[in-house]
Amino acid sequence: MKKILMVVTNSSQIDEEHETGLWLGEFAEPYIEFMNSGFQVSAASPNGGRIPIDPNSVDGMPPDEWDDAIAMLQNTEVLSAVNVNDYNGIFLPGGHGTMFDLPDNPDLQKALVYFAENNKVIGAVCHGPAGFVNTKLSNGKWLVDGVRLTGFTNEEEQQTGLDSLMPFLLESKLREQGAKFEGAAAYSDHTVSDTRFVTGQNPQSSQSAAAAFAEAVKG
């Protein structure tokens, strides 16, 4: 059975006025896709434990089919304790929280380098690619250098009104580190696959990114 590691944020605040966390659908929709593909799924975070959910990502009661995904978020594994060698793919859902605790996380960087250098699948959606930022391969190149990918665009970030509160703009930072960033119209469903990298642009891309990721894992 193929195994997938989903890595999520523990960050719950942008500042005193703005709560954040994981964007729930960006975890739940891929989780369901991976389970329906016959994969074994685990969830981990930098600190482990219960994951904060961005309140803007919950409109009323979540769908019943999200129940198992939500249950998994109540007690995630500590990323440093996970044996990444056991997994066939790693997937990073978004939410603004990822912008604060996934970049420069040494355990995530170590995991991403392992997946990249062992020809395993790396996926992310929306702000999830923040986890790629500042990660270098063993040859000294940036993880994203030369990789076709997408993520939450500068235009989309500006439309949220939160751009001035971010530590960096995700699209700009990925471009700075050599990524061949491919953005589409704001909030349109857009997924990019490049060999073993699969990325989705925004919440609207969660399902298509997960499906493309699952196909890549199946090989």
Side-chain angles (χ1 to χ4, degrees):
M1 181 181 289
K2 299 290 181 71
K3 297 179 69 174
I4 306 301
L5 179 64
M6 300 181 74
V7 179
V8 293
T9 180
N10 293 116
S11 294
S12 62
Q13 297 286 140
I14 295 174
D15 59 17
E16 291 182 0
E17 298 177 4
H18 297 90
E19 290 183 60
T20 188
L22 169 70
W23 197 269
L24 183 56
E26 294 172 17
F27 179 85
E29 291 181 4
Y31 173 88
I32 292 167
E33 178 69 33
F34 302 158
M35 294 298 289
N36 289 343
S37 297
F39 301 155
Q40 183 176 332
V41 182
S42 300
S45 58
N47 300 328
R50 189 170 183 270
I51 300 305
I53 304 301
D54 189 313
N56 293 312
S57 71
V58 183
D59 183 15
M61 287 294 292
D64 290 344
E65 59 264 30
W66 289 12
D67 285 354
D68 288 347
I70 292 169
M72 180 163 276
L73 295 171
Q74 304 312 302
N75 188 24
T76 59
E77 300 179 58
V78 179
L79 183 56
S80 62
V82 173
N83 183 358
V84 296
N85 297 22
D86 291 341
Y87 292 88
N88 303 96
I90 186 170
F91 191 90
L92 280 54
H96 280 99
T98 62
M99 296 285 286
F100 296 91
D101 66 346
L102 294 194
D104 298 308
N105 179 275
D107 300 306
L108 179 56
Q109 290 182 337
K110 182 179 178 182
L112 289 167
V113 170
Y114 167 78
F115 282 91
E117 295 184 348
N118 287 276
N119 200 34
K120 296 188 176 187
V121 185
I122 296 172
V125 64
C126 198
H127 287 93
F132 303 161
V133 167
N134 296 338
T135 300
K136 284 188 174 180
L137 301 172
S138 55
N139 63 8
K141 287 180 60 178
W142 296 117
L143 173 72
V144 298
D145 190 10
V147 177
R148 291 177 49 244
L149 51 69
T150 192
F152 207 60
T153 65
N154 291 352
E155 178 187 8
E156 288 168 327
E157 197 67 83
Q158 287 154 4
Q159 289 183 18
T160 68
L162 298 172
D163 51 310
S164 64
L165 302 178
M166 293 297 105
F168 54 86
L169 289 175
L170 181 58
E171 175 185 345
S172 295
K173 183 64 73 174
L174 292 169
R175 289 185 185 277
E176 285 172 20
Q177 296 187 354
K180 297 177 180 178
F181 191 96
E182 299 180 6
Y187 299 103
S188 61
D189 183 352
H190 178 58
T191 291
V192 175
S193 297
D194 184 4
T195 59
R196 310 300 278 175
F197 271 84
V198 179
T199 47
Q201 180 171 315
N202 46 38
Q204 291 73 19
S205 310
S206 298
Q207 180 60 47
S208 60
F213 178 90
E215 286 304 310
V217 171
K218 291 173 186 174

